[in-house]
Amino acid sequence: MKSLFLSIISLSVFLFSFNSKAQNADDLKQIIIKKYKRVRTTLKNGDPNYVLEMLANDAILFLPNGTEVVGKAALKPFYEKVALTGIDIESTPTAVELLSETTAFEVGIFTSTTKTSKKNSAKYINIWKKIDGDWKLYKAIDQAKL
C-alpha cells in the first residue's frame, strides 16, 4: 500500500512538472505573439522604436546573405531603414520551447507585404532571453529578403 501511494505521488509530481513546463511555453508563445502584433503596427507606421526596445543589447541578427548585424546600436539603422519602407510584417510562431527559466527557442513563419503588394515569406529561428523580467530577442536567424 505504501509503495502504491509513493508511486501515485511520484506520477502526480511528474505530470504536474510536465504540464507546468508546457503551460509556461504556451504563456511565452502568447507573449511573443503580442510583441509581434505591436511590431507589425509600429513598423508599418514607420516607427522602429518598439522593435529596438524588444532587443537585448547584445542581440544578433543573422541575415540570409550570411552577414551578421551585431548589437542593438548596429541594429538601429537596419530597423530604421525597414520602418521607412512601411512594410507590413507578420511573424507567426509555430513552436516555442523553454530551454531554461531565462532562455527560450522559437521557430516560426515570417510574411511581409510591401506597399506595392509584393509578398515574401520565410522561416525563422529566434532565441529569446529573459532580462530584468522581460523577454528580449537575443539571436535571430531568418531567411527573409526585405
Side-chain angles (χ1 to χ4, degrees):
M1 185 69 171
K2 190 176 185 180
S3 174
L4 177 62
F5 178 74
L6 290 175
S7 294
I8 290 171
I9 294 296
S10 296
L11 180 61
S12 297
V13 169
F14 171 76
L15 290 175
F16 176 77
S17 68
F18 178 78
N19 287 336
S20 175
K21 285 182 182 177
Q23 182 61 41
N24 287 335
D26 288 341
D27 288 347
L28 179 55
K29 186 174 182 179
Q30 292 308 309
I31 289 168
I32 291 170
I33 288 170
K34 285 180 185 176
K35 286 179 180 276
Y36 286 153
K37 284 181 181 179
R38 188 160 173 207
V39 165
R40 184 177 187 186
T41 302
T42 56
L43 281 180
K44 192 174 179 180
N45 291 329
D47 182 4
N49 290 320
Y50 181 72
V51 176
L52 295 169
E53 290 172 21
M54 200 172 77
L55 300 174
N57 288 333
D58 55 349
I60 299 176
L61 175 60
F62 299 91
L63 298 172
N65 65 5
T67 61
E68 300 173 8
V69 185
V70 181
K72 191 185 269 191
L75 285 161
K76 184 177 180 182
F78 174 83
Y79 282 111
E80 286 172 340
K81 184 178 175 183
V82 171
L84 286 174
T85 68
I87 197 164
D88 183 10
I89 296 174
E90 183 174 11
S91 299
T92 306
T94 56
V96 174
E97 182 179 336
L98 284 169
L99 303 176
S100 72
E101 290 181 11
T102 59
T103 309
F105 177 82
E106 173 207 0
V107 176
I109 299 169
F110 170 102
T111 304
S112 65
T113 307
T114 65
K115 285 184 176 182
T116 61
S117 299
K118 183 179 175 187
K119 292 191 179 248
N120 181 35
S121 65
K123 294 179 182 176
Y124 66 84
I125 297 172
N126 288 334
I127 299 173
W128 293 82
K129 195 177 193 181
K130 196 171 194 178
I131 301 170
D132 297 327
D134 188 21
W135 287 98
K136 302 281 188 179
L137 194 52
Y138 179 53
K139 308 290 183 219
I141 305 168
D142 75 51
Q143 303 169 329
K145 295 177 182 160
L146 297 177

